[in-house]
Amino acid sequence: MKIIQTIEELQEIRKSISSSVGFVPTMGALHDGHISLIKQARSENDIVIVSIFVNPTQFLKGEDLDKYPKKIEADSKICELCKVNYLFLPQISTMYGEDEVLVKAPNIKSYTLEGERRPGHFDGVLQVVLKLFGLTKPNRAYFGKKDAQQLALIKQMVENLFLGIDIIECEIKRESDGLALSSRNVYLTAEQRSDALAISKSLHAAAAIIGKKEFDCHVIKEHMQTIMSQLDVEYIAFVNRQFEEIQTIELKNSIILVAVKVGNTRLIDNIWI
């Protein structure tokens, strides 16, 4: 595995590659969820590029940019063990200049749910992902379904800008007790982590209710709220794959999304129906 830190080196290497490229963009602190993305990219491409970059433009004032987990040595070892070909580790000054051409997320999709609570967040996400796509020029790029709204916006960007990249949707990875894997889970105390299990329990309960032919989103939401009654729930949302709000579950076209604060840690999770 080769570690790359400059744009010039990455561009030269990319010019020399004629076979298929799979790309996995990350912010580091790699866990089994990231590893599953990398392994899928490894199985489907000749060359795998992983980037680690904690992108400042997607963090709002007061969020955890400065304390976001950084484990470069451990992350590098994980990438090496997963047989990554190239690991891109840029600095902020490498990725951003003083006079930026800005990317704006579409108003409707990016200012609901996560975007409503984190205004401008998705502008920063799309900005950095577009830059990374331009540098790595992948055939396929891999993203987890846990960040469902982000995934939908990236797919729309690729389509709208005619980028010709296959966006591969990868399943959510969970701990054995059901907690969705997240780099922010390290912030949880043992008690908070136990409390957070109500999130996945509520989603599994929703799936069970739907399996019994209850498709009314209001009824499903009430069940979920009961399960998460001890948590600080920011939202429980029901949308179709286009992120339009729905009142009735549409099988094979619905997503139930949850955002919760556990202590000072904000967690998101979802289930695709």
PDB file of all heavy atoms in Angstrom, residues 62-83:
ATOM      1  N   GLY A  62     -19.498  24.898  16.764  1.00  0.00           N
ATOM      2  CA  GLY A  62     -19.903  24.215  17.974  1.00  0.00           C
ATOM      3  C   GLY A  62     -19.962  22.710  17.847  1.00  0.00           C
ATOM      4  O   GLY A  62     -20.175  22.014  18.844  1.00  0.00           O
ATOM      5  N   GLU A  63     -19.781  22.180  16.635  1.00  0.00           N
ATOM      6  CA  GLU A  63     -19.743  20.732  16.462  1.00  0.00           C
ATOM      7  C   GLU A  63     -18.348  20.211  16.792  1.00  0.00           C
ATOM      8  O   GLU A  63     -17.448  20.973  17.162  1.00  0.00           O
ATOM      9  CB  GLU A  63     -20.184  20.355  15.048  1.00  0.00           C
ATOM     10  CG  GLU A  63     -21.667  20.637  14.807  1.00  0.00           C
ATOM     11  CD  GLU A  63     -22.184  20.093  13.478  1.00  0.00           C
ATOM     12  OE1 GLU A  63     -21.364  19.865  12.560  1.00  0.00           O
ATOM     13  OE2 GLU A  63     -23.395  19.906  13.360  1.00  0.00           O
ATOM     14  N   ASP A  64     -18.150  18.893  16.611  1.00  0.00           N
ATOM     15  CA  ASP A  64     -16.961  18.245  17.178  1.00  0.00           C
ATOM     16  C   ASP A  64     -15.776  18.129  16.221  1.00  0.00           C
ATOM     17  O   ASP A  64     -15.028  17.160  16.272  1.00  0.00           O
ATOM     18  CB  ASP A  64     -17.326  16.856  17.706  1.00  0.00           C
ATOM     19  CG  ASP A  64     -17.938  15.954  16.631  1.00  0.00           C
ATOM     20  OD1 ASP A  64     -18.292  16.478  15.554  1.00  0.00           O
ATOM     21  OD2 ASP A  64     -18.063  14.751  16.889  1.00  0.00           O
ATOM     22  N   LEU A  65     -15.561  19.140  15.369  1.00  0.00           N
ATOM     23  CA  LEU A  65     -14.436  19.087  14.425  1.00  0.00           C
ATOM     24  C   LEU A  65     -13.110  18.888  15.141  1.00  0.00           C
ATOM     25  O   LEU A  65     -12.316  18.012  14.790  1.00  0.00           O
ATOM     26  CB  LEU A  65     -14.396  20.368  13.586  1.00  0.00           C
ATOM     27  CG  LEU A  65     -13.170  20.531  12.671  1.00  0.00           C
ATOM     28  CD1 LEU A  65     -13.097  19.406  11.646  1.00  0.00           C
ATOM     29  CD2 LEU A  65     -13.196  21.894  11.974  1.00  0.00           C
ATOM     30  N   ASP A  66     -12.846  19.694  16.168  1.00  0.00           N
ATOM     31  CA  ASP A  66     -11.538  19.651  16.826  1.00  0.00           C
ATOM     32  C   ASP A  66     -11.294  18.349  17.579  1.00  0.00           C
ATOM     33  O   ASP A  66     -10.154  17.919  17.726  1.00  0.00           O
ATOM     34  CB  ASP A  66     -11.386  20.835  17.792  1.00  0.00           C
ATOM     35  CG  ASP A  66     -11.302  22.159  17.050  1.00  0.00           C
ATOM     36  OD1 ASP A  66     -10.895  22.152  15.878  1.00  0.00           O
ATOM     37  OD2 ASP A  66     -11.665  23.195  17.643  1.00  0.00           O
ATOM     38  N   LYS A  67     -12.358  17.728  18.080  1.00  0.00           N
ATOM     39  CA  LYS A  67     -12.164  16.494  18.842  1.00  0.00           C
ATOM     40  C   LYS A  67     -12.582  15.241  18.082  1.00  0.00           C
ATOM     41  O   LYS A  67     -12.608  14.154  18.658  1.00  0.00           O
ATOM     42  CB  LYS A  67     -12.921  16.572  20.177  1.00  0.00           C
ATOM     43  CG  LYS A  67     -14.430  16.637  20.073  1.00  0.00           C
ATOM     44  CD  LYS A  67     -15.055  16.559  21.465  1.00  0.00           C
ATOM     45  CE  LYS A  67     -16.583  16.494  21.387  1.00  0.00           C
ATOM     46  NZ  LYS A  67     -17.216  16.294  22.695  1.00  0.00           N
ATOM     47  N   TYR A  68     -12.884  15.396  16.784  1.00  0.00           N
ATOM     48  CA  TYR A  68     -13.275  14.232  16.001  1.00  0.00           C
ATOM     49  C   TYR A  68     -12.140  13.204  16.063  1.00  0.00           C
ATOM     50  O   TYR A  68     -10.969  13.564  15.905  1.00  0.00           O
ATOM     51  CB  TYR A  68     -13.560  14.614  14.545  1.00  0.00           C
ATOM     52  CG  TYR A  68     -14.275  13.520  13.784  1.00  0.00           C
ATOM     53  CD1 TYR A  68     -15.664  13.418  13.818  1.00  0.00           C
ATOM     54  CD2 TYR A  68     -13.574  12.569  13.059  1.00  0.00           C
ATOM     55  CE1 TYR A  68     -16.334  12.404  13.150  1.00  0.00           C
ATOM     56  CE2 TYR A  68     -14.228  11.550  12.386  1.00  0.00           C
ATOM     57  CZ  TYR A  68     -15.611  11.475  12.433  1.00  0.00           C
ATOM     58  OH  TYR A  68     -16.256  10.457  11.775  1.00  0.00           O
ATOM     59  N   PRO A  69     -12.463  11.922  16.309  1.00  0.00           N
ATOM     60  CA  PRO A  69     -11.397  10.922  16.526  1.00  0.00           C
ATOM     61  C   PRO A  69     -10.403  10.855  15.371  1.00  0.00           C
ATOM     62  O   PRO A  69     -10.803  10.798  14.208  1.00  0.00           O
ATOM     63  CB  PRO A  69     -12.186   9.605  16.651  1.00  0.00           C
ATOM     64  CG  PRO A  69     -13.570   9.996  17.019  1.00  0.00           C
ATOM     65  CD  PRO A  69     -13.813  11.342  16.393  1.00  0.00           C
ATOM     66  N   LYS A  70      -9.112  10.861  15.700  1.00  0.00           N
ATOM     67  CA  LYS A  70      -8.058  10.752  14.689  1.00  0.00           C
ATOM     68  C   LYS A  70      -7.121   9.608  15.076  1.00  0.00           C
ATOM     69  O   LYS A  70      -6.512   9.630  16.136  1.00  0.00           O
ATOM     70  CB  LYS A  70      -7.290  12.071  14.575  1.00  0.00           C
ATOM     71  CG  LYS A  70      -8.158  13.238  14.094  1.00  0.00           C
ATOM     72  CD  LYS A  70      -7.376  14.541  14.073  1.00  0.00           C
ATOM     73  CE  LYS A  70      -8.248  15.694  13.594  1.00  0.00           C
ATOM     74  NZ  LYS A  70      -9.347  15.997  14.533  1.00  0.00           N
ATOM     75  N   LYS A  71      -7.047   8.610  14.203  1.00  0.00           N
ATOM     76  CA  LYS A  71      -6.262   7.405  14.483  1.00  0.00           C
ATOM     77  C   LYS A  71      -5.513   6.993  13.219  1.00  0.00           C
ATOM     78  O   LYS A  71      -5.680   5.885  12.705  1.00  0.00           O
ATOM     79  CB  LYS A  71      -7.178   6.272  14.948  1.00  0.00           C
ATOM     80  CG  LYS A  71      -8.035   6.602  16.160  1.00  0.00           C
ATOM     81  CD  LYS A  71      -8.984   5.464  16.507  1.00  0.00           C
ATOM     82  CE  LYS A  71      -9.848   5.788  17.706  1.00  0.00           C
ATOM     83  NZ  LYS A  71     -10.789   4.691  18.031  1.00  0.00           N
ATOM     84  N   ILE A  72      -4.677   7.892  12.724  1.00  0.00           N
ATOM     85  CA  ILE A  72      -4.056   7.683  11.417  1.00  0.00           C
ATOM     86  C   ILE A  72      -3.210   6.408  11.378  1.00  0.00           C
ATOM     87  O   ILE A  72      -3.273   5.635  10.404  1.00  0.00           O
ATOM     88  CB  ILE A  72      -3.191   8.897  11.024  1.00  0.00           C
ATOM     89  CG1 ILE A  72      -4.091  10.121  10.775  1.00  0.00           C
ATOM     90  CG2 ILE A  72      -2.391   8.600   9.763  1.00  0.00           C
ATOM     91  CD1 ILE A  72      -5.094   9.946   9.660  1.00  0.00           C
ATOM     92  N   GLU A  73      -2.439   6.158  12.418  1.00  0.00           N
ATOM     93  CA  GLU A  73      -1.576   4.974  12.407  1.00  0.00           C
ATOM     94  C   GLU A  73      -2.410   3.691  12.361  1.00  0.00           C
ATOM     95  O   GLU A  73      -2.142   2.787  11.554  1.00  0.00           O
ATOM     96  CB  GLU A  73      -0.669   4.966  13.646  1.00  0.00           C
ATOM     97  CG  GLU A  73       0.383   3.869  13.613  1.00  0.00           C
ATOM     98  CD  GLU A  73       1.371   3.975  14.774  1.00  0.00           C
ATOM     99  OE1 GLU A  73       1.549   5.077  15.318  1.00  0.00           O
ATOM    100  OE2 GLU A  73       1.964   2.933  15.110  1.00  0.00           O
ATOM    101  N   ALA A  74      -3.416   3.607  13.210  1.00  0.00           N
ATOM    102  CA  ALA A  74      -4.289   2.426  13.226  1.00  0.00           C
ATOM    103  C   ALA A  74      -5.066   2.315  11.923  1.00  0.00           C
ATOM    104  O   ALA A  74      -5.225   1.215  11.367  1.00  0.00           O
ATOM    105  CB  ALA A  74      -5.243   2.500  14.407  1.00  0.00           C
ATOM    106  N   ASP A  75      -5.563   3.446  11.419  1.00  0.00           N
ATOM    107  CA  ASP A  75      -6.318   3.430  10.167  1.00  0.00           C
ATOM    108  C   ASP A  75      -5.456   2.957   8.998  1.00  0.00           C
ATOM    109  O   ASP A  75      -5.921   2.201   8.130  1.00  0.00           O
ATOM    110  CB  ASP A  75      -6.857   4.827   9.862  1.00  0.00           C
ATOM    111  CG  ASP A  75      -7.967   5.254  10.820  1.00  0.00           C
ATOM    112  OD1 ASP A  75      -8.493   4.386  11.539  1.00  0.00           O
ATOM    113  OD2 ASP A  75      -8.307   6.453  10.829  1.00  0.00           O
ATOM    114  N   SER A  76      -4.219   3.401   8.970  1.00  0.00           N
ATOM    115  CA  SER A  76      -3.300   2.983   7.902  1.00  0.00           C
ATOM    116  C   SER A  76      -3.089   1.477   7.932  1.00  0.00           C
ATOM    117  O   SER A  76      -3.055   0.815   6.882  1.00  0.00           O
ATOM    118  CB  SER A  76      -1.961   3.712   8.042  1.00  0.00           C
ATOM    119  OG  SER A  76      -2.129   5.105   7.932  1.00  0.00           O
ATOM    120  N   LYS A  77      -2.954   0.934   9.142  1.00  0.00           N
ATOM    121  CA  LYS A  77      -2.759  -0.511   9.281  1.00  0.00           C
ATOM    122  C   LYS A  77      -3.988  -1.274   8.800  1.00  0.00           C
ATOM    123  O   LYS A  77      -3.866  -2.308   8.107  1.00  0.00           O
ATOM    124  CB  LYS A  77      -2.457  -0.859  10.736  1.00  0.00           C
ATOM    125  CG  LYS A  77      -2.062  -2.319  10.945  1.00  0.00           C
ATOM    126  CD  LYS A  77      -0.775  -2.658  10.202  1.00  0.00           C
ATOM    127  CE  LYS A  77      -0.331  -4.087  10.449  1.00  0.00           C
ATOM    128  NZ  LYS A  77       0.893  -4.427   9.688  1.00  0.00           N
ATOM    129  N   ILE A  78      -5.167  -0.769   9.139  1.00  0.00           N
ATOM    130  CA  ILE A  78      -6.403  -1.406   8.684  1.00  0.00           C
ATOM    131  C   ILE A  78      -6.464  -1.420   7.163  1.00  0.00           C
ATOM    132  O   ILE A  78      -6.793  -2.441   6.548  1.00  0.00           O
ATOM    133  CB  ILE A  78      -7.623  -0.660   9.270  1.00  0.00           C
ATOM    134  CG1 ILE A  78      -7.750  -0.959  10.766  1.00  0.00           C
ATOM    135  CG2 ILE A  78      -8.913  -1.055   8.542  1.00  0.00           C
ATOM    136  CD1 ILE A  78      -8.776  -0.095  11.477  1.00  0.00           C
ATOM    137  N   CYS A  79      -6.140  -0.298   6.549  1.00  0.00           N
ATOM    138  CA  CYS A  79      -6.161  -0.224   5.086  1.00  0.00           C
ATOM    139  C   CYS A  79      -5.161  -1.197   4.468  1.00  0.00           C
ATOM    140  O   CYS A  79      -5.454  -1.857   3.458  1.00  0.00           O
ATOM    141  CB  CYS A  79      -5.869   1.199   4.625  1.00  0.00           C
ATOM    142  SG  CYS A  79      -7.214   2.365   4.959  1.00  0.00           S
ATOM    143  N   GLU A  80      -4.006  -1.278   5.080  1.00  0.00           N
ATOM    144  CA  GLU A  80      -2.984  -2.211   4.578  1.00  0.00           C
ATOM    145  C   GLU A  80      -3.479  -3.652   4.658  1.00  0.00           C
ATOM    146  O   GLU A  80      -3.329  -4.428   3.703  1.00  0.00           O
ATOM    147  CB  GLU A  80      -1.701  -2.038   5.378  1.00  0.00           C
ATOM    148  CG  GLU A  80      -0.527  -2.821   4.835  1.00  0.00           C
ATOM    149  CD  GLU A  80       0.761  -2.548   5.601  1.00  0.00           C
ATOM    150  OE1 GLU A  80       0.734  -1.706   6.533  1.00  0.00           O
ATOM    151  OE2 GLU A  80       1.774  -3.170   5.276  1.00  0.00           O
ATOM    152  N   LEU A  81      -4.087  -4.014   5.786  1.00  0.00           N
ATOM    153  CA  LEU A  81      -4.604  -5.374   5.958  1.00  0.00           C
ATOM    154  C   LEU A  81      -5.747  -5.674   4.993  1.00  0.00           C
ATOM    155  O   LEU A  81      -5.946  -6.833   4.596  1.00  0.00           O
ATOM    156  CB  LEU A  81      -5.071  -5.577   7.399  1.00  0.00           C
ATOM    157  CG  LEU A  81      -3.971  -5.609   8.460  1.00  0.00           C
ATOM    158  CD1 LEU A  81      -4.570  -5.600   9.860  1.00  0.00           C
ATOM    159  CD2 LEU A  81      -3.064  -6.834   8.279  1.00  0.00           C
ATOM    160  N   CYS A  82      -6.493  -4.631   4.614  1.00  0.00           N
ATOM    161  CA  CYS A  82      -7.596  -4.802   3.655  1.00  0.00           C
ATOM    162  C   CYS A  82      -7.128  -4.741   2.205  1.00  0.00           C
ATOM    163  O   CYS A  82      -7.947  -4.740   1.290  1.00  0.00           O
ATOM    164  CB  CYS A  82      -8.666  -3.738   3.895  1.00  0.00           C
ATOM    165  SG  CYS A  82      -9.594  -3.945   5.431  1.00  0.00           S
ATOM    166  N   LYS A  83      -5.811  -4.677   2.031  1.00  0.00           N
ATOM    167  CA  LYS A  83      -5.208  -4.692   0.689  1.00  0.00           C
ATOM    168  C   LYS A  83      -5.616  -3.480  -0.166  1.00  0.00           C
ATOM    169  O   LYS A  83      -5.858  -3.587  -1.367  1.00  0.00           O
ATOM    170  CB  LYS A  83      -5.530  -5.998  -0.038  1.00  0.00           C
ATOM    171  CG  LYS A  83      -4.934  -7.230   0.642  1.00  0.00           C
ATOM    172  CD  LYS A  83      -5.218  -8.497  -0.125  1.00  0.00           C
ATOM    173  CE  LYS A  83      -4.409  -9.674   0.394  1.00  0.00           C
ATOM    174  NZ  LYS A  83      -4.541  -9.908   1.841  1.00  0.00           N
TER     175      LYS A  83
END
